[in-house]
Amino acid sequence: WEANSMATAFTPHPCSQPGLTKCEGTACGDNVKGERYMGICDKDGCDYNSFRMGSQNFFGRGPQFEVDSTKPLSVVTQFLTADGTDTGDLIEVKRFYVQDGKFVPNSEATILGPHAGDSVTDGFCEAQKRKFGDVN
């Protein structure tokens, strides 16, 4: 999770190899050698930033925002797997907030069209990369 009082984002960087891996050469995605997208991990990642996804009044300083960064809050991130176990294939990363004792769901990704959702999934990442012209 990356945040300050004006913005928040979470950005998974999926890799093609499980667990901790030490890479060398092309597997590291060397920018200088033009190998950025040849590495085992997605260096760009797939970010969920509410402002960028179309919700300019979701997170910020003051009561005009759904989540007011001038007040205490809790950030909850859920990693959901296909089979509901800790070791299953990751299929979704969900985010929500708790502020003043209230549950605040993540904003909808309205910029990606109807039914784009409010979490990071393979479908969300594909739509986001396509929308912004990024390498997927």
Side-chain angles (χ1 to χ4, degrees):
W1 184 53
E2 306 163 80
N4 58 36
S5 67
M6 301 297 289
T8 177
F10 60 105
T11 310
H13 295 268
C15 300
S16 60
Q17 293 186 3
L20 298 174
T21 303
K22 181 179 179 183
C23 66
E24 294 184 34
T26 302
C28 296
D30 191 325
N31 288 338
V32 175
K33 294 180 180 177
E35 299 173 345
R36 179 176 183 83
Y37 299 108
M38 296 178 191
I40 59 174
C41 296
D42 178 356
K43 282 189 154 186
D44 296 342
C46 176
D47 69 294
Y48 201 109
N49 172 291
S50 294
F51 190 94
R52 182 166 120 105
M53 292 298 108
S55 184
Q56 285 85 26
N57 296 317
F58 182 72
F59 185 93
R61 299 180 57 81
Q64 69 272 27
F65 294 96
E66 289 182 59
V67 177
D68 179 355
S69 64
T70 66
K71 296 167 36 178
L73 63 108
S74 294
V75 180
V76 179
T77 306
Q78 296 174 314
F79 299 89
L80 305 177
T81 61
D83 62 4
T85 68
D86 290 348
T87 57
D89 288 337
L90 182 66
I91 59 168
E92 184 176 16
V93 181
K94 294 183 72 74
R95 162 68 44 85
F96 65 87
Y97 303 82
V98 179
Q99 190 168 56
D100 294 331
K102 295 186 299 188
F103 169 86
V104 182
N106 199 31
S107 63
E108 292 284 326
T110 57
I111 197 167
L112 300 180
H115 313 295
D118 64 355
S119 62
V120 174
T121 63
D122 284 345
F124 166 83
C125 292
E126 289 166 8
Q128 183 212 58
K129 300 276 186 169
R130 188 171 44 253
K131 174 72 174 176
F132 295 108
D134 297 333
V135 173
N136 188 9

